[in-house]
Amino acid sequence: MSRDNDVPAFEGHKPQARRLAEKALEASRAGDGTTADELFAEAERLDPQAVADVLEEDLATARRGAAAQRTPTHSPDRPASSPEAAALGRNAAPGQGFHSWAARGSTGAPRTPPRHPTRLAIALEVNGQTHAITVDVRTTLLDALRDHLGLTGSKKGCALGQCGACTVLMDGKRVNACLTLAVMADSHPITTIEGLAEDGALHPVQQAFVEHDAFQCGYCTSGQIMSAVGLLTEGRGTSDAEIKEQMSGNLCRCGAYANIVDAIRAAKETV
Amino acid sequence: MLAFGYAQAKDLDDGIELLRETPAALPIAGGTDVLQLLQEGVIAPSELVDLNLLPLRGIEEAGQGLRIGALTRLSEIADDPRVKARFPVLARALEETASPQVRNMATAAGNLLQRTRCLYFRDVTVPCNKREPGSGCPAMEGENRMNAILGGSPSCIASYPGDMANALLVLDAELEVQGPEGSRRLAVADLHREPGDTPHLETTLRPAEIITAIHLPATPRSANSHYLKLRDRASFEWALVSVAVALEIKDGEIRSARVAAGAVGTTPWRLPLVERRLERGRLDEAAAVAAAEAATHGVSPRPRNAFKVKLLRAAVERVLLMAGGLA
Amino acid sequence: MNAIIGQPTPRVDGPAKVTGQARYAAEFHPHGLAYAALVTSTIPRGRISGIDTTQADRAPGVLAIIHYENCERLPYHELEQRPQVDPQSGDQLRVFQGPEVLFVGQPLAVVVAESQQEAEGAARLVRITYELEDPSVLFQLDDGKPPSEGNAKAGRVPESERGDADAALAKAPVQHELWCSHAREQHNAMEPHATIAEWDGDRLTLWDKSQWVDNVRMEIAAIFGMEQEKIRVISPFVGGAFGSALRTWPHVTIAALCARRVGRAVRVELTRRQCFTSIGFRPLTRMRIALGAGEDGRLSAIVHEAWGQTSMYEEYAETTLEPARTTYSCPNVRTKYRMIELNTNSPCPMRAPGQSTGTLAVEMAMNELAERMEIDPLELRRRNYADRDESADKPWTSNALSQCYEVGARRFGWTTRPPAQSLRDGRWRIGWGMATAIYHAQRSACTARVTLYADGRLVVRTATSDMGPGTYTAMAQVAADTLDLPIDRIDVEIGDTEMPKAPVHGGSTTMASVGPAVRAACEALREKLVPLRGNDKDAPESVLQRHGLATLEAEAESKPDPQAKDYASAAFGAVFAEVRVDPALGIVRVARLVGAYDVGRVINPLVARSQCIGGMMGGLGMALHESAEWDPALGRVMNANLAEYLVPVCADTPELDVSFVGEPDLVLDPLGAKGLAEVALCGVAPAIADAVWHATGRRFRDMPIRVEDLLADD
């Protein structure tokens, strides 16, 4: 349904449009989107301005409500004479009910025991070598590399795919080794930082990282380098802006990003 | 993680059967969200059913549109020249999703099914109606900066955090779904459920159903489609607000419009009122402002996320200006 | 001397780091290694009423579960003198010694198992029930407590005053007052904290993430009632720390307990979520500052008050008020510090602790005063230059702050700063801001040993650490320079209590403390070589070969010059920022940061620059991103991960420009280095905040500045 511009918005329709719009708002709040849309459409047909007014008023009310409860943290000014007013954080009463929920103690919910294997023999192809190991199926590829194969070059920074320190190449593409299970990586060729240098000679990206001092503590470095190798393999990194965007899956808390970008730009010319 | 069994589905029927026979089983494909949920103890399935062997990877022509296999990786979709040219909103949304590493792993269907980032859902030491029905929702008065302003209920205000679904909404995309009862088509718009009083039920998929493909129909709007994602840092963050738009413009007039927003609703959120305000009009600054005003009807902001109301309007306005070449 | 000092030598440990060969704490693998997982509290305050391990005990692979009901009572001897890295009042958290729960995330039990997966799985099956008590969860200024004597002795006084600041303020022709704050920040070094413990009879070896192995040894010895000599702590590489690895945290004790219980080596590695509660953080600090100035812009009064978070069990206070007392010349200064006790883990120093916080207030106030008086902010600072430390009433050992202003302003192009809100680029508004940076410089006693081998290799050993600033490289340069050897002949070995004693690797003191010790040891070795040397031109190794010596060794201690006590020392800097703001969308992006620093002698400009740009990124995080979101209703940080606790990513990186000015500070130490890790973070946030004002005409005083602030109605 589209707005019909031919209907004159004479005053007579305004109250009705307002009522419809208010009903629509109610329906929307109650979670009935379909009804809300129908009512809004009807109200709009009668008087678009009335609908806009209702929405504006609704918004203002919502804003007022929010402002009343708003954290003082971000209000621009507050009276210096009142330290209480300057208190930080929301001053909601501690939720005893929520704490009671925690106090009763909790464990993993009772579950059906697994029917399928919880341990499996797999073959991991890492840096051209095949490693036959038996793993608990819960083992991530990252833990398998670090704890089973002794390849600790791939780092664990968060185990949730949020930092990139564990980046390796799988099937030639950069991935987070913490976000895949070792059993799922079975038979997929994997390259880790340990497999990058050839015959003792640093890979051009490794060399560039040293020359441009693209790290400090070194903990994110393996992931940064593997990600950079992936980026170059994908043919990306044609501008600094693209390098920055494409390297944003790899956090560096020492803040070496500017040097990382320099290193990748330089390596791109060598590779 | 609590112990679980692992089974690899040999084919589609096998996958459906594995899921059907063990109700506490969970399918896994890219694993990028499932592994996080497992690590944090948010979920504890009895088995994981690995779907990666199913032949559901790749993008092919289908009629005038494209058919994207459910296991196609996000980076493969974003980099596909046909997607870039004919469905730019989708490519753009995916380019701004997560990190390159995650995009190389995450699958199309898995992305649609990703769980909320609500801080309370992800922390098992606090109550959450979605994780443990009836336990309560501390997000209501808590750290709800990232939570929904649309589609919430007294039980839950967790936002749908993803990007791709918003793009698919404005592309009128449909899903192919296969389950014990056979196959069916399902509009992306009908996939996600608002929380109501059952926030733990997030989709309309039936038990043991597997999404097998996404259909992108060719519409007069698809090629003129845009995506704007707003976030605190410049990259690698879930959206504060995102907006997808697809417009059919002929002789300077908007013939038809699709607009959807992400990170503001409990589901990917279509904005029909904005669409109606746009249709039959010309796309100029005034029209963008007027249409954007309609984006926030029915919002229920909370103390910490009230800014999303203003931000949503601003984002709709800006993406419309982008679509009109005015920004 | 071969003039290698001052050269941009690439890191000597670079190849090890880029090939994944550098080994961090969790990466050692002693024979029979078992794995541990912590079970932590889920309520902010109360007592354990029951621990049920029935399910967990039955889980496969489980070797032991330790909690207060079955844990031996540990002596926890009081140390004769508390190390400066620990809070000076209160008691450290004792592990598994009682049922009290003081915060969410407190370790209450540990599961040891054959694999990490089994340990973590079983940890989820341990069920703990509690009796609840009312927690302290609200940050209310009225609840502020003054630091007690212990803290005051360490320089963190409840009150200080010179002159009569309130009277002077009341009389001042221009008065400006503001409230400001920054959020609770988490160090979030990329390497999670980890410890591996292994007992051999009554001897204990710990592989630990530590900025101070000697202190870990001393504290663990006191906790277990052991002789220090029976403990060895090894920490060759530290994957970032920023202060989080200064202290000996509870999980180190837990690792030793586990290893003793199961009779095997055991690894405890914190999860990222546990890194928000099992170590420390930079406390949320709220501040009031008032400046009084004459019509000429000269300061006549500063009143600075701060309220910071601490825990219920330790009294953590910071040196937040030092910048107000030292940065500018002002006859009347009054300060006040208060702590708010909360049921949370204890805060701890985080890069530029206290000073970066205090600088935020002082520099914001200076910028607002400049606006009000219509004086250029840089000019206002020049007019208030402090040519001595007026707080200590001592001359500076060196001070090139004026050059910092000059060089920084020139490189930034500051003199052309246009009026506020006048710079535009399409929808973007552009703004410029600046701030002064200051961080006290210190030096401690240190010992180093150098060993020359007959093959010509020289090994430098000292128990210091390298969390990223380049200790390995800088010490190799000092040794190469002193003995006139090529740097590739030198190996530096650090991070082991078997090595000569070194002070804490923190507070920007490593170069000034360890460097002179390495130099002194090398000089002692040279003295030993003299009588053996026939011909001056002989290479050292040929001297050894001629005398049939396998090695020649020398050790030396280097201490601060007693004369230095008559001086005050600080590193200085001037920071300039350019931001781009999209007001409609509430977006702020930093486009440029320019810093000019007086850090004394720069031993290695390549790694020194890296440290400065790192500090700038840390300051950018403070200004725009970092905030641990505390939910008072639940008494915990809710965004305890790296997806929702935001640190800057690569795409946030602005154009960065670093200059070094000034001269070697030879009064502070013979190398003339003042230290630079901390000063580089100071001043960045207030410079960015000022730039946001310059772009938008609006002042945002609570860090981080976020979308909701920009979109809020004026």
Side-chain angles (χ1 to χ4, degrees), chain C residues 538-550:
Chain C
D538 281 354
E541 63 271 23
S542 52
V543 177
L544 261 65
Q545 285 157 9
R546 197 163 63 236
H547 292 270
L549 294 170

Side-chain angles (χ1 to χ4, degrees), chain C residues 35-57:
Chain C
Y35 302 82
L38 301 181
V39 181
T40 60
S41 62
T42 60
I43 61 156
R45 187 174 178 207
R47 297 169 68 83
I48 299 171
S49 59
I51 299 182
D52 178 0
T53 61
T54 327
Q55 269 190 289
D57 286 329

Side-chain angles (χ1 to χ4, degrees), chain B residues 1-3 36 38-42 117-120 122-127 138-139 141-143 145-146 228-238 240 285 304 307-308 310-311 314-315 317-318 321 326-327, chain C residues 40-42 104 117 120-122 124-125 273 427 582 584-589 624-625 629-634 636-649 651-652 706-713:
Chain B
M1 295 180 212
L2 293 176
Q36 292 187 62
L38 288 169
Q39 287 285 16
E40 297 266 55
V42 178
R117 295 302 304 180
C118 177
L119 302 175
Y120 298 83
R122 299 258 164 182
D123 183 345
V124 295
T125 71
V126 301
E141 302 303 326
E143 286 305 325
R145 181 172 187 261
M146 303 295 282
L228 176 66
K229 181 173 180 177
L230 301 175
R231 39 192 166 178
D232 297 291
R233 54 187 189 194
S235 184
F236 197 19
E237 187 187 352
W238 273 273
L240 292 167
E285 192 124 11
R304 306 278 285 182
F307 72 96
K308 283 190 174 183
K310 206 166 178 181
L311 191 59
E317 183 186 325
R318 184 64 61 86
L321 295 177
L326 301 165
Chain C
T40 60
S41 62
T42 60
V104 170
Q117 292 69 34
E120 284 172 13
R124 295 217 178 265
L125 298 172
R273 190 177 279 281
R427 288 178 190 275
D582 187 325
L585 301 179
I587 293 173
V588 179
R589 302 280 182 247
L624 301 180
H625 300 307
E629 306 287 1
W630 176 258
D631 183 330
L634 296 171
R636 73 200 72 199
V637 168
M638 289 312 305
N639 57 339
N641 64 48
L642 288 172
E644 275 98 8
Y645 179 93
L646 302 178
V647 301
V649 296
D652 291 304
R706 298 193 291 197
V707 176
E708 49 266 53
D709 304 309
L710 272 290
L711 292 185
D713 300 324

Side-chain angles (χ1 to χ4, degrees), chain B residues 274-289:
Chain B
V274 176
E275 296 169 4
R276 275 195 294 274
R277 285 206 179 175
L278 287 168
E279 282 166 359
R280 304 285 169 83
R282 306 186 77 82
L283 184 51
D284 55 22
E285 192 124 11
V289 171

Side-chain angles (χ1 to χ4, degrees), chain A residues 73-74 77-78 80 86 88 90 96 103 105 146-147 155 157 206 213 216-217 244 248 253-254 257 259, chain C residues 11 17-18 24 27 130 132 177 179 186-187 267 272 284 286 609-610 614 626 632 648 653 702 709:
Chain A
T73 316
H74 293 101
D77 271 299
R78 56 188 69 80
L88 269 184
R90 286 163 298 105
Q96 197 56 252
R146 285 169 66 81
D147 295 342
K155 304 302 183 191
Q206 290 173 314
D213 207 40
Q216 286 198 55
C217 80
K244 284 182 184 179
S248 282
R253 191 59 163 148
C254 298
Y257 298 128
N259 292 355
Chain C
R11 280 170 205 267
K17 285 179 173 172
V18 300
Y24 300 80
E27 297 169 355
Y130 306 87
L132 293 170
E177 177 179 326
W179 284 85
Q186 306 284 152
H187 304 74
R267 181 179 83 188
R272 182 53 61 180
L284 177 158
R286 173 134 204 89
R609 180 181 174 277
S610 293
E626 297 189 40
T653 312
D702 298 304
D709 304 309

